[in-house]
Amino acid sequence: MGLSLIEGFTKSLAMTVLSEIGDKTFFAAAILAMRHPRRLVLAGCLIALIVMTILSVLLGWAAPNLISRKWTHHVTTVLFFIFGFWSLWEGFTEDGEAEELKEVEAKLDADWKAGTGGTKGGSKGDNDLKKQQRPFLTQFFSPIFLKAFSITFFGEWGDKSQIATIGLAADENPFGVVLGGIMGQALCTTAAVLGGKSLASQISEKMVALSSGVLFLVFGLQSFLSAVGES
């Protein structure tokens, strides 16, 4: 139990960090933190990612109870190889280092202009004062918190990192996968919020894609060589 917990934790942590650094939600958190209170952005993004991780692990944990463990093991192995080659292909065919950052920034800029179009001069100070006077808990249900939560949650839904987490939870200790996933999400999101655009712009999307591709292939090979009962 202890060894399987550690293995699930380390695999989930490594996969999450390499999948989330340079991801759209990472860039979105960095840009949002430049324009809004960091604690609200961090809370919204992090809670969304924690909820997504727990849901994904629950789906992965339930899969072997609905389908033969042998089949879930084989499906997980195939998924690791697919995501590995997919990530390598993205890395080798990447045209620019900051394309995804620019895409996310352009989308958030459009939303920002649409949302602040009616705000003028002196009203900004009034709005900031009102935000500071809000009770602490109600701030976490403000439009900023909800925006950070929704952008992150729906941005991650159906992403290959989510599907890989489901597959990992089906083949490894689910508690270890949850802990590793949450730890990885916390590290990446905190780095994005504190580092902002200056950190995000320094990240090589090409190297992240190649590194995650190699990691997925290693997981796939390990899963292929291991017996179903050992996972």
Side-chain angles (χ1 to χ4, degrees), residues 45-179:
C45 293
L46 195 53
I47 290 175
L49 290 168
I50 290 173
V51 171
M52 179 64 69
T53 300
I54 293 174
L55 288 176
S56 300
V57 170
L58 286 175
L59 288 172
W61 171 79
N65 297 317
L66 301 175
I67 311 171
S68 165
R69 184 162 185 82
K70 177 181 177 181
W71 279 105
T72 57
H73 177 80
H74 293 328
V75 169
T76 300
T77 302
V78 171
L79 282 175
F80 281 144
F81 280 117
I82 290 174
F83 290 146
F85 288 118
W86 182 3
S87 296
L88 288 177
W89 180 83
E90 287 180 337
F92 284 120
T93 58
E94 190 69 51
D95 293 327
E97 297 296 336
E99 284 186 357
E100 201 156 21
L101 174 60
K102 291 177 182 176
E103 179 185 338
V104 173
E105 190 172 18
K107 185 178 184 305
L108 291 177
D109 277 339
D111 293 342
W112 173 262
K113 289 175 182 176
T116 59
T119 304
K120 302 294 181 182
S123 61
K124 184 180 184 300
D126 295 338
N127 289 336
D128 290 340
L129 181 61
K130 289 178 182 178
K131 288 176 184 176
Q132 293 174 7
Q133 291 174 343
R134 287 177 182 171
F136 180 75
L137 289 177
T138 60
Q139 291 185 30
F140 284 92
F141 294 95
S142 67
I144 298 170
F145 172 87
L146 295 176
K147 182 178 183 179
F149 180 93
S150 59
I151 287 176
T152 304
F153 186 86
F154 293 110
E156 283 296 308
W157 189 265
D159 188 73
K160 66 172 179 278
S161 61
Q162 186 208 11
I163 300 172
T165 300
I166 294 173
L168 196 62
D171 220 32
E172 300 290 344
N173 185 297
F175 294 107
V177 176
V178 166
L179 293 175

